Amino acid sequence: MEYEIVIGLEVHAELSTKSKIYCSCTTEFGGEENTHCCPICTGMPGVLPVLNKKVVEYAVRAGLATNCTIADYSKQDRKNYFYPDLPKAYQISQYDFPLCKNGYIDIETDGKTKRVGITRIHIEEDAGKLMHDEWDTGTLVDYNRCGVPLIEIVGEPDLRSAEEARAYMEKLRSILQFIGVSDCKMQEGSLRADVNLSVRPVGQKELGTRTEMKNLNSFRSIVRAVEAEAQRQIREIESGGTVVQETRRWDDERGLSVSMRSKEEAHDYRYFPEPDLVPIVLDKEWVEGIRASLPELPDARKKRYVREFGLPEYDAEILTSSKVLSDFFDDAVKQSSNAKAVSNWIMGDLMRILKEKGMEVENIPFPAGYLARLVGLIEKGTISGTIAKKVFEKMFLSGKGPETIVKEEGLEVVSDEGALTAVVRKVLDNNPQSVADYRKGKEKALGFLVGQAMRETKGKADPQLINKLLKEAMDKA
Amino acid sequence: MKITFEIIEHVADLARLNLTESEKQKLTSEMANIIGYVDKLNQLDTTNVPPTSHVKPISNIFREDVVKESFDREKILSNAPSRDNGCFKVPKVVE
Ligand SMILES: [Zn+2]
């Protein structure tokens, strides 16, 4: 039987405010254990949390950027559960009146656009970090992350494959980065997803029983977890069993999910209104002010790249998948007259070298202007395309400007006729067969001879000039 | 809402309370009385009364996003029954 996979993602993003959501402790990543803490974020009795206004602003920004309706009335609630990563034994979150509702984003897979619904976005506090020592009897707790503001973006079960889940996650990351509300560093846990997944026979209307896998913090693990869990559920059904609604832990090392049959599975969070915090009532004008301040979003920027620079859709999509990369491109284009060439360099050599070195776009070791100038050097004919690749490589390794590299390594195009005539002579003398072929009308032979001459000059000769000189020499005799 | 013995067991479990059988019995009837009392409110006509989520008629109490110095770690840990390596130490929890 053929099955359809149904996926909904709940994405948590840590907001890039300076201070925590309910106290003035720093949100800075790292730091010695329990040094970014105070009585409020460690849940001491008798303290009073006060909501950070920036958290509301950022959540509203995220809501507007994902086409949500912003609630004029919103409140916070206690979600009760016992786990030592939350010292209060509850998490302050939002239950029935979230800040944002009913939005959507568009994703692209296989050249097709798909609209994915966003049920809601609400604000809540992050939890602390537990460290389990195999040899010890206890669990150690660090509350530095406890109280860092989060938004939870609850998506509709509109996704149908691992690729769509990945595209959705990438688009959300890109949007959140563009609007500057989260740095979305997955390796630091500032962007993570819970995957809700079920399968059903193709054509069936009702949804199958779903499982939830929590806290996936890389695109790769999301894709692998979706694929493995879908297969597991299909096997379960095919072998006559039933899928149990439960939370499963994804074990990335072993590539499988494990059931977490704990008592908390009852999911009985007994939400109730947070008595220490008052309702949030948003002024229309304030919300519209935020809407007006939104920057160009990834989809708009992508369209602009296609329209203004004639880039292929695919290239524009990749360039706008990351704010840093897109800004790098924009910055380079401002200093260059050939946007397409700049894009090709980024899509080709830059992406390749980053991948080879396992580096992120954040770590590109030279400013965008260097790439613009490198493209300029090719256009002016100062260096050849082949040499430019070498210069690019050196630019990446040394961070030196392209002109400096060209000068230091003597890589300028040789367009001195006198010097090149000698090279041409040598090539003709060494390849009498090709010369004969050319004279018999084999155009291909000319290409070979040009190649030989370029090799002789280590790629520095002006190929146009070499071409002309070779032809002249052979046509004459 | 009917308060049953099972509900009391479930709530006690969620609250990590170890109750004896007789305590559960006693609480079942006590809780039923309390809930029954509150249920009386349902007899009131609240058609034109907006729902209350907070007892104080105020909204929008915010602080600015300004970092202030956190507490000294020694102070933060001073109430901890157990600690180790600058961390709170709790009975082992395994997922
Ligand atoms: Zn604090």
Side-chain angles (χ1 to χ4, degrees):
Chain A
M1 195 181 307
E2 277 230 49
Y3 290 88
E4 179 178 52
I5 310 173
V6 179
I7 308 157
L9 293 187
E10 285 166 26
V11 176
H12 287 91
E14 280 185 354
L15 299 176
S16 45
T17 56
K18 294 188 186 75
S19 65
K20 290 186 178 180
I21 183 166
Y22 300 119
C23 66
S24 306
C25 291
T26 179
T27 56
E28 203 177 310
F29 187 78
E32 292 274 302
E33 291 89 349
N34 296 301
T35 53
H36 301 166
C37 297
C38 73
I40 294 174
C41 55
T42 50
M44 297 294 172
V47 295
L48 196 61
V50 184
L51 179 57
N52 182 342
K53 190 170 187 184
K54 205 89 189 169
V55 171
V56 180
E57 186 191 320
Y58 281 6
V60 168
R61 271 175 93 79
L64 291 170
T66 53
N67 309 293
C68 286
T69 306
I70 308 303
D72 41 20
Y73 173 92
S74 182
K75 72 178 175 68
Q76 295 164 89
D77 301 273
R78 289 189 183 179
K79 178 181 180 179
N80 297 282
Y81 65 94
F82 286 106
Y83 205 60
D85 60 356
L86 278 171
K88 302 192 292 293
Y90 60 83
Q91 178 192 32
I92 305 179
S93 179
Q94 294 194 286
Y95 182 52
D96 48 358
F97 290 91
L99 270 174
C100 321
K101 282 191 296 200
N102 301 331
Y104 65 84
I105 60 169
D106 290 333
I107 60 167
E108 280 85 28
T109 46
D110 298 329
K112 271 177 278 178
T113 302
K114 175 171 181 165
R115 184 153 290 183
V116 182
I118 287 174
T119 318
R120 56 184 277 165
I121 300 178
H122 64 252
I123 54 172
E124 59 185 31
E125 54 182 339
D126 206 350
K129 185 177 154 201
L130 302 182
M131 288 154 286
H132 310 277
D133 187 341
E134 246 184 277
W135 313 108
D136 206 350
T137 49
T139 291
L140 299 183
V141 195
D142 169 16
Y143 288 127
N144 280 353
R145 300 313 290 162
C146 193
V148 169
L150 289 178
I151 46 174
E152 180 174 340
I153 304 166
V154 182
E156 291 286 306
D158 289 344
L159 305 164
R160 293 290 176 271
S161 67
E163 294 71 49
E164 287 188 5
R166 186 195 173 94
Y168 173 78
M169 199 63 190
E170 280 180 342
K171 181 55 77 66
L172 265 189
R173 180 180 68 164
S174 157
I175 291 172
L176 296 177
Q177 284 178 343
F178 270 66
I179 60 175
V181 303
S182 173
D183 61 16
C184 296
K185 287 186 184 155
M186 294 186 90
Q187 66 280 13
E188 289 180 5
S190 68
L191 186 72
R192 48 195 201 252
D194 301 345
V195 175
N196 289 292
L197 186 149
S198 64
V199 298
R200 62 180 170 194
V202 171
Q204 180 181 304
K205 267 234 157 105
E206 310 82 68
L207 291 170
T209 307
R210 70 185 160 85
T211 61
E212 182 178 21
M213 290 177 290
K214 282 189 179 293
N215 280 331
L216 297 169
N217 62 358
S218 74
F219 292 119
R220 184 174 163 270
S221 63
I222 291 168
V223 167
R224 292 179 72 218
V226 164
E227 281 165 355
E229 178 60 10
Q231 286 314 310
R232 189 194 68 82
Q233 292 189 11
I234 291 169
R235 271 201 309 275
E236 192 73 46
I237 295 167
E238 300 258 281
S239 63
T242 48
V243 175
V244 182
Q245 180 163 352
E246 62 181 351
T247 302
R248 300 180 66 87
R249 188 172 54 81
W250 172 250
D251 186 331
D252 208 38
E253 256 166 56
R254 292 196 290 160
L256 50 87
S257 67
V258 192
S259 175
M260 294 165 62
R261 288 179 210 280
S262 71
K263 283 190 174 169
E264 225 57 65
E265 275 321 285
H267 274 317
D268 198 339
Y269 293 130
R270 291 148 295 146
Y271 283 96
F272 64 85
E274 167 58 69
D276 287 342
L277 293 161
V278 297
I280 305 161
V281 180
L282 295 184
D283 181 61
K284 277 242 155 31
E285 252 171 68
W286 187 74
V287 172
E288 287 314 309
I290 293 177
R291 194 195 300 277
S293 78
L294 285 180
E296 182 184 42
L297 296 175
D299 283 346
R301 206 179 271 199
K302 183 185 146 190
K303 286 198 187 99
R304 176 164 65 82
Y305 288 176
V306 174
R307 190 182 63 235
E308 273 181 32
F309 306 132
L311 299 189
E313 287 263 341
Y314 176 79
D315 294 13
E317 174 80 22
I318 300 282
L319 288 175
T320 53
S321 66
S322 142
K323 171 138 175 24
V324 177
L325 188 63
S326 179
D327 286 348
F328 185 86
F329 172 73
D330 272 354
D331 200 8
V333 164
K334 267 189 211 123
Q335 305 171 60
S336 168
S337 54
N338 192 340
K340 207 147 185 185
V342 169
S343 166
N344 287 342
W345 275 99
I346 293 177
M347 295 291 297
D349 290 72
L350 183 57
M351 294 307 250
R352 176 186 50 77
I353 200 165
L354 284 172
K355 200 172 171 193
E356 275 169 16
K357 304 214 176 292
M359 286 164 69
E360 301 290 327
V361 270
E362 282 79 4
N363 311 114
I364 299 172
F366 55 83
Y370 283 16
L371 182 56
R373 273 150 53 191
L374 180 68
V375 169
L377 288 177
I378 306 166
E379 299 215 302
K380 273 186 284 177
T382 312
I383 52 172
S384 68
T386 326
I387 291 294
K389 282 189 182 287
K390 271 188 214 160
V391 176
F392 181 84
E393 202 99 0
K394 293 221 157 84
M395 209 159 83
F396 196 97
L397 295 177
S398 66
K400 285 182 186 168
E403 300 84 356
T404 312
I405 294 169
V406 169
K407 193 165 267 170
E408 280 180 3
E409 317 248 334
L411 297 171
E412 291 98 339
V413 162
V414 180
S415 43
D416 169 32
E417 277 209 38
L420 291 183
T421 306
V423 174
V424 164
R425 182 97 335 255
K426 190 176 167 200
V427 168
L428 292 178
D429 288 348
N430 289 344
N431 300 283
Q433 186 57 50
S434 299
V435 175
D437 286 350
Y438 172 79
R439 287 189 176 135
K440 273 186 245 156
K442 279 195 188 164
E443 280 292 320
K444 251 191 174 169
L446 179 63
F448 172 77
L449 292 167
V450 171
Q452 291 303 304
M454 291 308 288
R455 178 174 294 178
E456 197 67 34
T457 59
K458 297 198 172 69
K460 288 187 287 181
D462 175 350
Q464 243 85 54
L465 190 54
I466 284 286
N467 208 305
K468 180 179 150 247
L469 292 176
L470 277 169
K471 269 184 160 172
E472 278 175 8
M474 290 189 288
D475 292 343
K476 216 184 327 176
Chain B
M1 183 186 189
K2 176 135 174 56
I3 300 300
T4 61
F5 188 79
E6 286 71 36
I7 287 177
I8 294 297
E9 278 193 319
H10 177 61
V11 173
D13 191 41
L14 287 171
R16 301 289 192 274
L17 294 172
N18 275 319
L19 301 177
T20 63
E21 291 303 296
S22 67
E23 279 172 328
K24 287 179 199 166
Q25 291 290 3
K26 190 171 161 231
L27 282 166
T28 306
S29 65
E30 281 182 358
M31 195 75 94
N33 278 336
I34 296 164
I35 299 285
Y37 183 71
V38 177
D39 259 347
K40 271 195 177 156
L41 287 174
N42 284 337
Q43 295 165 12
L44 283 172
D45 177 11
T46 55
T47 326
N48 294 312
V49 182
T52 307
S53 60
H54 202 276
V55 290
K56 290 253 167 100
I58 44 172
S59 59
N60 294 352
I61 304 293
F62 299 121
R63 37 171 279 273
E64 294 303 314
D65 183 25
V66 177
V67 175
K68 291 186 187 147
E69 209 171 325
S70 291
F71 268 50
D72 189 59
R73 178 158 78 183
E74 267 314 298
K75 262 194 176 149
I76 285 295
L77 291 172
S78 59
N79 286 324
S82 180
R83 56 150 117 178
D84 196 3
N85 281 315
C87 289
F88 292 87
K89 190 173 178 184
V90 298
K92 193 159 195 165
V93 286
V94 187
E95 288 196 340

